[in-house]
Amino acid sequence: MALWSGRFTENVSEFTQRFGASLPVDKALYAQDIAGSKAHAAMLGSAGVIAQADADAIVGGLERVQERIEAGKFAFDINDEDIHMSVERALIADVGDAGARLHTGRSRNDQVATDTRLFAKQRCEDLMAANVALRQALVKQAEEHPDVIMPGYTHLQHAQPVLFAHHMLAYVWMLARDFERLAAARRAADASPLGAAALAGTTYPLDRQMTAASLGFSRVIPNSLDAVSDRDFLLDLSYACSVSCMHLSRLCEEIVLWSTAEFDFIELSDAFSTGSSIMPQKKNPDFAELIRGKTGRVVGDLVALLVTMKALPLAYNKDLQEDKEGAIDAAKTLEDCLVCAAGMIETMAVKPESMRAQAKKGYLAATDVADYLAKKGMPFRRAHEVVGHLVLLCEQRGCDLDDLALADFQAESDLFEADITSALDLDAIVAARTTEGGTGHAAVAEQLALAKQVLAADEAAL
Ligand code: ARG
């Protein structure tokens, strides 16, 4: 029989017992559940709600339950609906009446919200650490290749040359924002619902500040109805996971493209590649593809929780039991993806010659040639047209802009002089982009220093 079975004369069927149970999912929260119960028991003892000896017996008993779970010696029973019931039943079996006093002034409604918030805080911290490790790998690649030039793209068409380091750092900034989102999700979770009881608070003189402080919460949730029904913190975590996974999917899509014979910009290490069961020559970027693919389930976890929350009346509803599985999955999936991506980026070999060879194709100097004319006084829109004609000429001849003779340039405009070569040279084109945040070597060096500063601050905040 369930611990709440006093007013019942019939048991639920085995099927409905399983259908209603959350134990297979929430047993992952055993440590948080035990921590919450220890804090509640200690507070009950100190407030004189239960005898200090009973509080001490409860705390000792909970520690033994935790040891048994961690030693794999705890027999989880599906007749227990959830981890809260499992732990409480085991506690009562161990310490008897004292254990039966633990649930005084508490409901599973504030208990589960407390456990889930503690869990969410921890997972945010784990993810923030994994985020830092991936950023370190990207920064390392940027630092190791300060002069490597690659084509920059818009519409996946060659656009303007950029530094490979600049491209890597773009992902570092995405991840820096992901870190902020995870930190915000952590702050959202960092409030104690304990003491809200079922929905309305209790008649016992509970010290909510005391349990909040002993569990490491920075504040108490001011409204008992809100305390037991709010799952915004899990939405925040799932959203942070979704955006971060989406960023990883973009990075991985580029890794997949760059690994093709067509691009040939990088080679993944064997440790992050797989072969084919039929084609002996194959080296597939499976893990990059898998990260790209896993983004779907993480976004699915977010959407599932949003829809579960929609139109729920106050306060606790059993629908809320559906909150944990997706959030746990989103956090675990993102963590795995971050760890995998860090190893993959850290060990990938960059191919500067292939990148440069591609950067020579597709008239990447065109904007700079137009800028050359504009700087000599021609209105930019007119200069754009002149260079368009030159590109057309190259297309007809099957050559690139730097294959044209000075006379070809001068046939389009008499503003062209011998120094036009400076607008055609890849290294000069890149170096000339001196704007703050631009791809010029000096600007990228400054950006790298800033990215490292933010990274160091984030690492120190872990
Ligand atoms: N297993 C439940 C959950 O995860 C715990 C809270 C149940 N409360 C209740 N009154 N049925 O949400």
Side-chain angles (χ1 to χ4, degrees):
M1 289 294 262
L3 291 177
W4 40 251
S5 62
R7 57 102 68 221
F8 291 82
T9 54
E10 213 185 329
N11 274 329
V12 293
S13 73
E14 202 185 314
F15 169 77
T16 43
Q17 173 62 35
R18 277 181 196 282
F19 182 71
S22 55
L23 184 60
V25 171
D26 61 29
K27 65 182 174 191
L29 275 59
Y30 77 88
Q32 288 78 11
D33 192 68
I34 289 172
S37 289
K38 283 165 74 176
H40 181 65
M43 181 276 295
L44 290 178
S46 107
V49 177
I50 63 174
Q52 191 56 48
D54 283 345
D56 294 343
I58 291 170
V59 169
L62 287 167
E63 280 166 2
R64 285 189 293 279
V65 171
Q66 180 151 4
E67 278 161 23
R68 275 163 56 207
I69 294 175
E70 285 169 1
K73 290 187 185 137
F74 191 93
F76 285 103
D77 180 354
I78 193 62
N79 289 315
D80 289 325
E81 183 183 321
D82 49 36
I83 186 65
H84 327 297
M85 291 304 194
S86 295
V87 170
E88 193 180 335
R89 186 196 292 277
L91 175 73
I92 294 170
D94 185 353
V95 302
D97 269 0
R101 295 189 203 282
L102 167 63
H103 213 51
T104 310
R106 188 178 67 165
S107 157
R108 276 183 300 154
N109 298 349
D110 60 340
Q111 187 178 359
V112 71
T114 303
D115 297 1
T116 309
R117 282 172 176 273
L118 289 172
F119 186 83
K121 276 177 70 179
Q122 180 59 53
R123 296 305 279 145
C124 287
E125 287 162 21
D126 300 339
L127 291 168
M128 286 155 80
N131 170 292
V132 164
L134 174 54
R135 266 190 284 165
Q136 280 163 344
L138 288 161
V139 162
K140 191 157 165 269
Q141 284 288 4
E143 274 182 318
E144 283 171 3
H145 303 94
D147 301 316
V148 172
I149 289 176
M150 63 179 279
Y153 299 83
T154 65
H155 313 269
L156 207 54
Q157 303 290 317
H158 285 201
Q160 293 174 351
V162 295
L163 288 181
F164 169 75
H166 194 49
H167 201 107
M168 288 291 101
L169 287 171
Y171 284 104
V172 172
W173 294 114
M174 289 186 209
L175 285 154
R177 295 194 296 277
D178 294 343
F179 186 95
E180 291 302 317
R181 267 180 284 273
L182 289 165
R186 188 193 173 284
R187 278 195 296 279
D190 187 23
S192 177
L194 198 57
L199 74 163
T202 79
T203 57
Y204 300 99
L206 303 188
D207 185 344
R208 294 190 63 203
Q209 298 293 339
M210 180 180 170
T211 46
S214 74
L215 289 169
F217 285 115
S218 67
R219 62 193 194 278
V220 158
I221 299 175
N223 180 305
S224 61
L225 295 167
D226 188 38
V228 295
S229 72
D230 170 28
R231 294 295 184 273
D232 292 0
F233 64 100
L234 285 184
L235 287 170
D236 292 346
L237 171 58
S238 301
Y239 174 68
C241 290
S242 294
V243 176
S244 190
C245 230
M246 175 274 285
H247 286 154
L248 296 189
S249 79
R250 297 181 68 179
L251 172 64
C252 287
E253 168 67 4
E254 301 216 275
I255 297 293
V256 170
L257 285 173
W258 292 354
S259 304
T260 60
E262 285 76 6
F263 275 83
D264 196 32
F265 284 2
I266 57 155
E267 181 169 357
L268 291 178
S269 78
D270 285 0
F272 287 92
S273 309
T274 57
S276 156
S277 59
I278 179 170
M279 297 168 282
Q281 86 285 10
K282 288 300 291 290
K283 181 170 175 182
N284 295 327
D286 270 35
F287 302 105
E289 296 167 71
L290 202 50
I291 293 172
R292 195 176 59 185
K294 282 182 186 287
T295 307
R297 61 189 278 173
V298 176
V299 175
D301 289 331
L302 168 64
V303 174
L305 182 57
L306 269 174
V307 181
T308 296
M309 297 307 296
K310 176 187 172 289
L312 275 190
L314 288 173
Y316 180 85
N317 300 274
K318 184 77 167 177
D319 315 43
L320 290 174
Q321 181 168 286
E322 287 293 306
D323 64 349
K324 285 171 283 297
E325 192 167 0
I328 291 172
D329 178 67
K332 172 74 179 141
T333 305
L334 176 61
E335 187 176 40
D336 290 350
C337 289
L338 286 166
V339 170
C340 186
M344 195 162 61
I345 295 294
E346 170 115 44
T347 55
M348 79 182 181
V350 174
K351 298 182 161 181
E353 305 75 27
S354 307
M355 289 185 183
R356 178 170 278 267
Q358 284 300 330
K360 283 182 178 297
K361 297 182 197 161
Y363 318 110
L364 270 74
T367 311
D368 290 67
V369 177
D371 285 343
Y372 172 94
L373 293 175
K375 284 174 189 167
K376 294 203 171 195
M378 185 182 287
F380 181 79
R381 192 49 61 214
R382 169 84 189 106
H384 186 287
E385 197 186 347
V386 165
V387 182
H389 290 153
L390 289 167
V391 168
L392 195 58
L393 181 65
C394 289
E395 290 270 283
Q396 285 156 357
R397 291 192 192 166
C399 70
D400 201 2
L401 283 167
D402 59 1
D403 297 319
L404 296 178
L406 181 56
D408 296 321
F409 284 100
Q410 287 171 337
E412 287 293 336
S413 166
D414 53 14
L415 290 176
F416 283 118
E417 293 174 84
D419 63 350
I420 182 58
T421 48
S422 68
L424 298 170
D425 175 66
L426 273 184
D427 299 279
I429 290 172
V430 170
R433 285 186 159 59
T434 52
T435 338
E436 183 180 348
T439 201
H441 301 73
V444 170
E446 275 175 32
Q447 185 197 156
L448 178 63
L450 186 61
K452 286 172 76 173
Q453 209 178 302
V454 171
L455 188 50
D458 288 348
E459 196 181 4
L462 287 176

